[in-house]
């Protein structure tokens, strides 16, 4: 299992703070977090109402986040750290 995905799964339904590889962060109220064998999918929303989706295909793949925009979905970044939001 992907370590960061497992951490999100364990924190949910409480809010999580994601730190991306570029150093930016976002706090999400999680709506769902599910494993499908080694794959992981999750969805959460930030304070402004923007929906984020998180996916990884397994332990060796990055945990990637996308955010919903007016034009569809945009890559938010690769997740580097996960912690419980305060």
């Amino acid at each position: 299992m992907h370590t960061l995905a497992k951490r999100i799964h364990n924190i949910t339904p409480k809010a999580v703070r994601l730190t991306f590889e570029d150093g930016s962060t976002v706090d999400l109220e999680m709506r769902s977090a599910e494993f499908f064998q080694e794959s992981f999918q999750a969805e959460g929303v930030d304070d402004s109402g923007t929906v984020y989706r998180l996916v990884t295909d397994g332990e060796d793949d990055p945990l990637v986040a996308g955010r919903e925009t007016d034009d569809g979905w945009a890559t938010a970044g690769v997740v580097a750290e996960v912690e419980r939001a305060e």
Side-chain angles (χ1 to χ4, degrees):
M1 278 189 203
H2 194 283
T3 303
L4 296 174
K6 186 175 178 181
R7 190 169 299 144
I8 291 169
H9 189 267
N10 288 339
I11 294 171
T12 298
K14 295 185 185 331
V16 299
R17 176 170 293 132
L18 305 178
T19 302
F20 298 105
E21 287 182 336
D22 68 1
S24 63
T25 63
V26 65
D27 290 352
L28 300 178
E29 291 292 331
M30 299 306 294
R31 293 181 175 172
S32 65
E34 300 178 85
F35 278 98
F36 304 95
Q37 295 180 353
E38 290 296 312
S39 298
F40 176 77
Q41 296 178 1
E43 185 173 283
V45 63
D46 70 9
D47 291 340
S48 70
T50 301
V51 176
Y52 284 75
R53 289 192 179 155
L54 310 166
V55 296
T56 185
D57 284 333
E59 186 175 340
D60 295 333
D61 289 333
L63 179 60
V64 179
R67 70 176 162 267
E68 192 171 26
T69 68
D70 291 337
D71 297 326
W73 290 89
T75 301
V78 174
V79 179
E81 292 180 38
V82 174
E83 59 188 353
R84 187 174 297 195
E86 299 297 323

